[in-house]
Amino acid sequence: MRPPLLNPLFAPVTSLAGVGPKQDKLLRYLLGRDETPRLVDLLLHLPSSVIDRRARPKVRDAVPGTVVTLEITVDRHRPPPPRNSRAPYLVYASDDTGDVVLTFFRAKPGYVEKLLPVGAKRYVSGTLQMYDGMAQIVHPDRVVDEAAFAKLSGIDPVYPLTEGLALGALRRAIAQALQKLPDLPEWISPEVIRRCHFPPIEDALTRVHVPIELTDVLPDSPFWSRLAFDELLAGQLALALVRAQLRRPAGNRHTGDGHLRKKIIDALPYALTTSQQKAVAAIAEDLRQPVRMLRLLQGDVGSGKTVVALLAAAAVVEAGKQAALMAPTEILARQHIKTIAPLAERAGLRVAILTGREKGKERREILARLEAGEIDFLVGTHALIQDDVAFKALALAVVDEQHRFGVRERLALTEKGEAVDVLVLSATPIPRTLVLTYFGDMDISELREKPAGRQPIDTRAVPDTRLDEVIEAVGRALSAGKRVYWICPLVEESETVNLTDAEARFKSLQQRFGGQVGLVHGKMRGADKDRVMAQFAAGEIGLLVATTVVEVGVDVPAATIMVIENAERFGLAQLHQLRGRIGRGSEASTCLLLYREPLSEMSKARLKVIRETTDGFRIAEEDLRLRGEGDVLGVRQSGLPGYRIARSDVHAQLITQARDEALRIMKENPKLAGPRGEALRCLLYLFERDEALPLMGAG
Ligand code: ADP
Ligand code: MG
């Protein structure tokens, strides 16, 4: 239960004066929420910059083009002539050095009269312009009287906005929300407060929204940093709580005598790489231990994670238990089952797939067999965590591409068994510092080597003015029986962005190459996608036009050529993932990056990195260097994905400090008891990291 103390902050924004249904909708969009945002969401929406209104020159000395605050007396009004409503409403004003015109377009009747009564003294702020030799301010940002002016610092925050939402309206809403701020307990330990010079939370929130110095709203100010630390601590503590749950001693050890694993390894048409062997051994050891496994298996695309996952599953099946593998998309789930099924069959392991597509009788049958223990290893999507999916004895949960799943989903799968061991697969090489942020403390196995026999990929960047040549080259490759991916960024034609649309490209290539061309994109039905993919895998189609749905996991070793259109639009990590679809067989592969000129310096640097290396870890590091973590995970945002306030560049130090603090809390007060525990619960609720709390009951 949320501490009642926080209730005022969880009131809907529509409870504020001036926030109606229209603002509700705009704020939902701005703050990325499906439902009406709460006051806390407004307060955690931090300024992107400030306007400095402290310059207070006399009219005569005001510099055109700058923001000034003038102290003036209102002399006379000139409303627009009756039949010309497009003419502006002018207000003539002055100080003892000169005259200034205040200009209002489409002013509501009575508005300007009330704002600037003749003879009154006012403080007027805005950008000064010269018009016909006359000083002028069009739509002053701020017009206040002496009393109101005394309360202003002269520095106004500027917020990220969305179309239709006025800055003033957002400011007024945030100012009201600040008034509702309750007296919050301190959740950070005194040592950290002292070491980092953090102000109290109320001061931090107040100063970023009502800055006194220009630097107050910078991410490295003590105020912003305190909020970033709070956010990071909430994240780390939530991960630690989940982990503590998962780390409860496992009653039974989940591993057998190795007979199934031996059968699978014997059936493999290849030898396991050294790092695969190491990972398999580490997992077997984890499963033997009387604590639960929590292990991250990181490996670049094509490094062979699936077979490691299968061997882990086989180990628990040997002990009479079941395993499940959850993938984020249907294509990926089917890809896994395709790799797994033939090997499993040879070992007598019973596997099945469950996604949104298995329905009705088919689904009921799968569920019945699962509950009866007649399925050993179930592969699927989110469909696995639906309420009515029950296992007889789930002992191992493998979660693929985990950063797409939330804590809740991870827990939901592990709750379907007792003391379930967890293996997370990630194809995104994540620098170690970030592993912490996304996964918390986990044991890590890395698959650093590529399976033997892989050919290097020749990667080239080509301007799209040479599209015709590229199409000719693709034609020659098709005649030679090669298989080609053609990647386009978008599905539908977009008026605003001049990108090649997959459907349009498909049509034009089809005209040229006829039935050899197929199309697959994210908006197609699952069955249709699979059919096209299967045709491509079987060689019935030679040229597959696709959007990024082929980004992860899709495995057609015979495909050796990839053309990526508008390559400059993709993130590095995404380009790397895409390219990982080729170079999987024994033949040399080619990747053509088509780009549109002119290229920005950043795009040039990115394409260069991609051309020079296929080492995913190096690419991840370069990406980090070039743009910050957002793009490492293919998420386009300036901060850390999942974090609103913390920035990886500015607050890197704070990540480890927050983690240390979380670990110390777990050691000293794992039940979050007493006043500090109560304060920490507040923190978890404020940053919506309270998911793990119900698991631990009342404190
Ligand atoms: P990813 O790590 O991207 O999930 P996969 O598990 O899909 O990689 O493996 C990619 C391909 O490599 C598959 O076709 C798989 O059969 C093959 N493979 C896996 N391990 C080896 C190995 N040790 N030697 C050769 N091929 C391998
Ligand atoms: Mg895979």
Side-chain angles (χ1 to χ4, degrees), residues 459-694:
T459 304
R460 294 178 215 175
V462 182
D464 62 4
T465 47
R466 288 170 57 194
L467 181 65
D468 288 346
E469 286 170 54
V470 171
I471 292 177
E472 286 309 313
V474 165
R476 286 193 299 276
L478 287 175
S479 318
K482 296 195 191 295
R483 241 158 296 165
V484 183
Y485 287 107
W486 189 296
I487 310 294
C488 302
L490 281 183
V491 191
E492 281 163 295
E493 198 133 14
S494 152
E495 286 173 353
T496 46
V497 194
N498 189 14
L499 296 181
T500 311
D501 134 50
E503 248 148 18
R505 179 59 69 210
F506 167 68
K507 281 192 193 116
S508 74
L509 289 171
Q510 200 179 31
Q511 267 171 15
R512 179 81 163 59
F513 300 119
Q516 299 180 78
V517 191
L519 172 68
V520 54
H521 59 68
K523 296 226 170 128
M524 282 163 67
R525 282 186 22 229
D528 294 337
K529 270 190 262 185
D530 291 348
R531 187 174 39 76
V532 179
M533 288 306 305
Q535 285 175 330
F536 185 61
E540 292 157 29
I541 293 173
L543 176 55
L544 183 68
V545 179
T547 56
T548 50
V549 291
V550 299
E551 183 183 332
V552 264
V554 173
D555 191 21
V556 181
T560 53
I561 298 175
M562 176 172 283
V563 179
I564 304 180
E565 278 199 70
N566 290 109
E568 76 280 2
R569 296 272 172 166
F570 291 94
L572 262 187
Q574 211 176 12
L575 285 175
H576 175 64
Q577 295 277 359
L578 284 167
R579 183 176 56 180
R581 303 305 107 210
I582 57 172
R584 305 193 132 222
S586 51
E587 265 188 78
S589 294
T590 307
C591 179
L592 296 179
L593 306 170
L594 278 178
Y595 62 86
R596 176 153 305 171
E597 291 181 296
L599 277 184
S600 68
E601 287 306 312
M602 172 69 82
S603 303
K604 271 186 205 153
R606 302 223 315 264
L607 293 185
K608 183 161 177 279
V609 172
I610 273 291
R611 272 192 347 254
E612 283 175 355
T613 183
T614 52
D615 177 345
F617 283 90
R618 223 203 103 196
I619 289 173
E621 277 151 22
E622 287 293 321
D623 202 17
L624 194 61
R625 199 175 58 73
L626 287 171
R627 299 194 60 159
E629 288 78 358
D631 267 16
V632 178
L633 298 179
V635 185
R636 219 169 291 134
Q637 55 185 63
S638 54
L640 291 159
Y643 289 78
R644 284 182 275 190
I645 294 168
R647 299 277 168 86
S648 57
D649 41 354
V650 186
H651 304 121
Q653 290 289 334
L654 295 183
I655 298 178
T656 32
Q657 302 212 38
R659 172 188 167 238
D660 291 347
E661 175 89 338
L663 292 181
R664 209 169 50 174
I665 293 164
M666 291 310 293
K667 207 144 125 223
E668 291 170 1
N669 187 5
K671 292 240 168 295
L672 303 188
R676 172 99 198 276
E678 189 59 23
L680 286 163
R681 285 166 195 262
C682 284
L683 171 71
L684 292 173
Y685 277 101
L686 280 180
F687 287 94
E688 290 185 283
R689 300 292 168 126
D690 51 291
E691 290 160 306
L693 286 180

Side-chain angles (χ1 to χ4, degrees), residues 345-457:
E345 201 178 313
R346 301 276 279 275
L349 207 73
R350 295 160 298 179
V351 296
I353 185 158
L354 182 67
T355 70
R357 261 172 60 203
E358 282 68 41
K359 292 199 190 87
K361 183 157 165 270
E362 189 185 3
R363 183 167 184 277
R364 280 197 300 278
E365 273 172 19
I366 294 171
L367 295 190
R369 282 169 51 215
L370 189 67
E371 200 158 3
E374 290 161 22
I375 293 171
D376 300 313
F377 189 14
L378 183 64
V379 175
T381 54
H382 282 88
L384 295 189
I385 54 177
Q386 283 163 343
D387 282 343
D388 58 346
V389 177
F391 291 79
K392 179 159 185 252
L394 179 67
L396 172 70
V398 183
V399 185
D400 192 9
E401 285 298 312
Q402 140 102 27
H403 62 264
R404 301 195 189 187
F405 293 113
V407 171
R408 196 167 306 199
E409 285 147 322
R410 205 195 310 177
L411 285 174
L413 187 56
T414 60
E415 298 282 277
K416 290 191 181 287
E418 259 172 60
V420 172
D421 286 301
V422 178
L423 178 66
V424 171
L425 310 183
S426 173
T428 316
I430 304 173
R432 276 195 179 242
T433 51
L434 290 188
V435 167
L436 263 182
T437 325
Y438 297 111
F439 303 107
D441 254 332
M442 296 183 108
D443 299 312
I444 300 176
S445 293
E446 275 176 3
L447 301 184
R448 277 232 170 200
E449 358 159 30
K450 293 250 150 82
R454 293 280 160 82
Q455 295 293 313
I457 302 172

Side-chain angles (χ1 to χ4, degrees), residues 270-273 276 299-307 336 339 451-452 454 553 555 557 581 584:
Y270 47 78
L272 292 177
T273 63
Q276 281 173 321
D300 211 346
V301 282
S303 58
K305 293 182 292 295
T306 309
V307 68
H336 280 303
T339 312
R454 293 280 160 82
D555 191 21
R581 303 305 107 210
R584 305 193 132 222

Side-chain angles (χ1 to χ4, degrees), residues 33-53:
R33 303 198 63 90
D34 297 334
E35 280 156 30
T36 299
R38 293 85 38 96
L39 301 198
V40 59
D41 302 310
L42 270 184
L43 290 177
L44 296 178
H45 184 64
L46 301 193
S48 49
S49 64
V50 287
I51 299 176
D52 186 355
R53 304 189 181 285

